[in-house]
Amino acid sequence: MVTVLQERAEQRVLDHDLARKIRVAGRTLTVTPVFDTYWRFAAARQKVYEARLAGRAGPFTDDPILQRHRFTNCFRAADRVSQDLIGGVIYQGEQAWEEIFFRTLLFKIFNKTSTWLLLNGALGEVRWDAYDYRVFDRVLSQAFTAGQRLYSAAYIVPPPQLGQERKHQNHLRLLEMMMTADAPQRVLTAPTLQSAYQVLLGFPAIGPFLAYQFVIDLNYAAELPFSEMDFVVPGPGARDGIRKCFGPAADGIEADVIRYMADTQDEHFARLGLSFTGLRGRPLQLIDCQNLFCEVDKYARVAHPDIAGISGRSRIKQTYRQQADAMPAWFPPKWQLNGPPGR
């Protein structure tokens, strides 16, 4: 007599065999167990997000790794800092494109909501047409001297060498340079997301990863028409996650791998019997699949410690702490995900 547990074990073997090899960009890639973990992690993490959004009491998952460690949401736009950017920066204040561009990059250079609130509190309103380097520097320097942390640790924004002593001063000069070099208009008139990315990539200290992150942020605005399925740039964390899923055979085709994940997501969620309805029906986009590889890289350090990535990191640094304040969930109106007021 075949037991339910035996049936499930046999199905897991079948699942693994079905997914054991995939074809991407003309290469045959052999998947590791982390490949299926990618999909299971996405489904479980999205359920945590939906439970928190519904106001349910924790714990929101029975996954011990998710209970203990902090991971970003499956959808980049749903993360708290992105929510602060979308609702509190891009769609607040003067809606002239030049002002939106300035506010967005100023916010993202620091990537820390408290720094944005500091500037707004001191200046009344952050505007390019009223910008004064000395005033902005004075506010930030006073906070820095008082021990306030100005930058997020989420990712490093290297300072350009533009003649100033402090990091934030050089970043202010960089933003000035972008504004006076007509970067807002050049991004606005770019024919593709990739060409808009190339505009940002041409400025000092903005490498491929940052240029891509910044152009995705700017694309939340109503003025830019690009799809998040147009173009992707794998970051270092994503490359680590891809290595853990596919081994070194995927080296050099990481962007193609990310597109494969986005294109076949329904197939793999169904194959594994996972419920995943997306973000109010919106499927994972390239940027989301890229970010999920970063998170799965971290998750696999505990779940699959025997499978190596590129960096060699073995610990997850950030610990999960439940937050009591309500979660915002308001997205670019052009996505048509926002329900009636109050929903």
Side-chain angles (χ1 to χ4, degrees):
M1 179 178 177
V2 178
T3 67
V4 172
L5 288 177
Q6 286 173 321
E7 288 179 351
R8 288 178 178 172
E10 289 170 2
Q11 184 62 46
R12 283 196 295 271
V13 171
L14 177 60
D15 287 344
H16 180 70
D17 287 344
L18 287 171
R20 190 168 52 86
K21 293 184 184 297
I22 64 170
R23 290 282 293 175
V24 178
R27 296 188 196 177
T28 299
L29 305 180
T30 301
V31 307
T32 75
V34 182
F35 178 73
D36 283 355
T37 294
Y38 179 101
W39 304 109
R40 293 191 173 103
F41 170 86
R45 183 62 184 85
Q46 184 65 9
K47 285 183 179 178
V48 170
Y49 170 73
E50 291 168 354
R52 291 190 61 207
L53 202 58
R56 297 177 199 151
F60 306 110
T61 177
D62 58 4
D63 184 316
I65 303 175
L66 284 174
Q67 285 181 354
R68 182 174 180 183
H69 300 285
R70 181 182 177 276
F71 298 92
T72 63
N73 285 304
C74 294
F75 290 87
R76 182 183 188 270
D79 274 325
R80 189 169 294 269
V81 174
S82 292
Q83 283 288 296
D84 290 344
L85 171 67
I86 295 166
V89 178
I90 293 175
Y91 288 92
Q92 289 290 325
E94 171 61 51
Q95 289 300 293
W97 169 245
E98 189 175 62
E99 295 291 347
I100 292 172
F101 183 100
F102 176 72
R103 291 198 305 269
T104 300
L105 288 197
L106 179 64
F107 180 94
K108 287 302 296 184
I109 282 170
F110 296 97
N111 204 35
K112 197 168 182 66
T113 302
S114 59
T115 302
W116 173 256
L117 295 176
L118 167 72
L119 286 167
N120 269 273
L123 304 175
E125 184 179 3
V126 171
R127 297 179 64 99
W128 168 243
D129 63 11
Y131 173 79
D132 184 327
Y133 168 83
R134 293 168 299 177
V135 174
F136 276 64
D137 175 41
R138 182 167 62 248
V139 173
L140 295 171
S141 289
Q142 286 175 351
F144 176 80
T145 301
Q148 182 169 332
R149 187 174 179 177
L150 299 179
Y151 292 85
S152 165
Y155 50 76
I156 296 172
V157 182
Q161 299 304 310
L162 296 177
Q164 304 302 315
E165 180 182 353
R166 291 178 175 171
K167 181 178 179 179
H168 73 263
Q169 294 170 336
N170 282 297
H171 277 139
L172 290 176
R173 293 300 191 195
L174 172 62
L175 189 51
E176 287 177 21
M177 178 188 294
M178 298 176 79
M179 297 302 294
T180 56
D182 206 26
Q185 188 63 21
R186 291 161 60 197
V187 166
L188 183 63
T189 58
T192 65
L193 185 65
Q194 184 170 2
S195 55
Y197 154 87
Q198 292 288 347
V199 172
L200 302 180
L201 190 61
F203 288 92
I206 299 183
F209 176 73
L210 280 181
Y212 178 61
Q213 297 296 317
F214 288 169
V215 81
I216 290 294
D217 291 311
L218 290 166
N219 194 47
Y220 291 145
E223 285 75 7
L224 295 189
F226 307 119
S227 165
E228 290 188 338
M229 289 296 291
D230 285 353
F231 171 65
V232 68
V233 174
R239 293 178 187 276
D240 246 327
I242 291 168
R243 172 68 66 87
K244 289 181 179 180
C245 286
F246 304 105
D251 290 359
I253 59 166
E254 290 88 353
D256 298 288
V257 168
I258 293 168
R259 185 168 292 279
Y260 169 85
M261 304 298 271
D263 288 345
T264 63
Q265 58 188 285
D266 290 344
E267 169 193 335
H268 290 293
F269 285 129
R271 175 178 62 81
L272 295 168
L274 301 169
S275 173
F276 189 90
T277 57
L279 183 66
R280 298 175 179 172
R282 179 181 173 88
L284 295 167
Q285 306 290 297
L286 294 177
I287 181 64
D288 306 315
C289 292
Q290 194 274 162
N291 283 6
L292 275 169
F293 272 120
C294 300
E295 299 309 292
V296 168
D297 164 49
K298 293 187 290 186
Y299 185 92
R301 295 173 197 172
V302 177
H304 303 282
D306 55 318
I307 298 179
I310 300 169
S311 69
R313 293 174 182 167
S314 59
R315 294 172 51 250
I316 306 174
K317 291 183 179 179
Q318 292 184 307
T319 302
Y320 175 73
R321 293 190 299 273
Q322 187 169 332
Q323 295 180 318
D325 52 327
M327 283 180 55
W330 192 84
F331 303 96
K334 62 185 177 181
W335 292 358
Q336 299 182 335
L337 300 183
N338 300 318
R343 289 187 61 189

